[in-house]
Amino acid sequence: MGKGINVIDSDRVVEAGEENIPLIDVRPAFMYEEGHIPGAVNVPLVVPEDGSMIPDDQLVQAIEAAGVEPDADVVLYCQTGQHAGLAANTLAENGFSDIELYSGSMDDWTAKDLPVSKG
């Protein structure tokens, strides 16, 4: 992982939620709607029409629009950890300094039967 990225587990995700640290779900909107970690904000990384990744500058703008400043702590997750890892690297390359990557992401969260919000 890049500089400023810490890989975390589900226990830390729960702590981060209690600390009101922004939790960003980078999965497509339809997956987010089907079920996400409570309190998460959806910032899709992939363009649904063609499966391509959104440009880096758009990702940075969307994360900032979700209320995350470059020097603030943020937690990223997806379904398996792969797309969240790519998003974390993009943010690190664009000046974000306190990124937490939930490597297990939704697969781990649901396997542990942790709470899921829908809609």
Side-chain angles (χ1 to χ4, degrees):
M1 284 293 110
K3 183 178 164 199
I5 301 172
N6 296 311
V7 177
I8 62 170
D9 61 13
S10 59
D11 291 340
R12 175 62 189 141
V13 175
V14 171
E15 284 175 13
E18 292 168 355
E19 296 169 13
N20 292 319
I21 293 170
L23 180 59
I24 306 293
D25 182 332
V26 300
R27 298 175 304 155
F30 77 90
M31 293 177 81
Y32 174 85
E33 296 290 325
E34 289 171 359
H36 56 272
I37 297 173
V41 174
N42 189 218
V43 178
L45 183 64
V46 175
V47 178
E49 292 74 27
D50 62 10
S52 67
M53 307 258 288
I54 64 170
D56 289 358
D57 61 332
Q58 284 184 24
L59 175 64
V60 171
Q61 288 171 3
I63 297 287
E64 289 177 339
V68 181
E69 298 294 324
D71 60 350
D73 194 355
V74 62
V75 174
L76 300 173
Y77 77 94
C78 58
Q79 190 66 40
T80 63
Q82 181 179 2
H83 283 120
L86 295 170
N89 285 331
T90 297
L91 293 181
E93 290 165 4
N94 284 276
F96 285 75
S97 58
D98 197 359
I99 304 158
E100 296 188 68
L101 171 62
Y102 179 21
S103 59
S105 287
M106 278 307 286
D107 284 352
D108 179 66
W109 189 264
T110 54
K112 291 181 176 173
D113 204 28
L114 292 163
V116 173
S117 294
K118 295 190 184 295

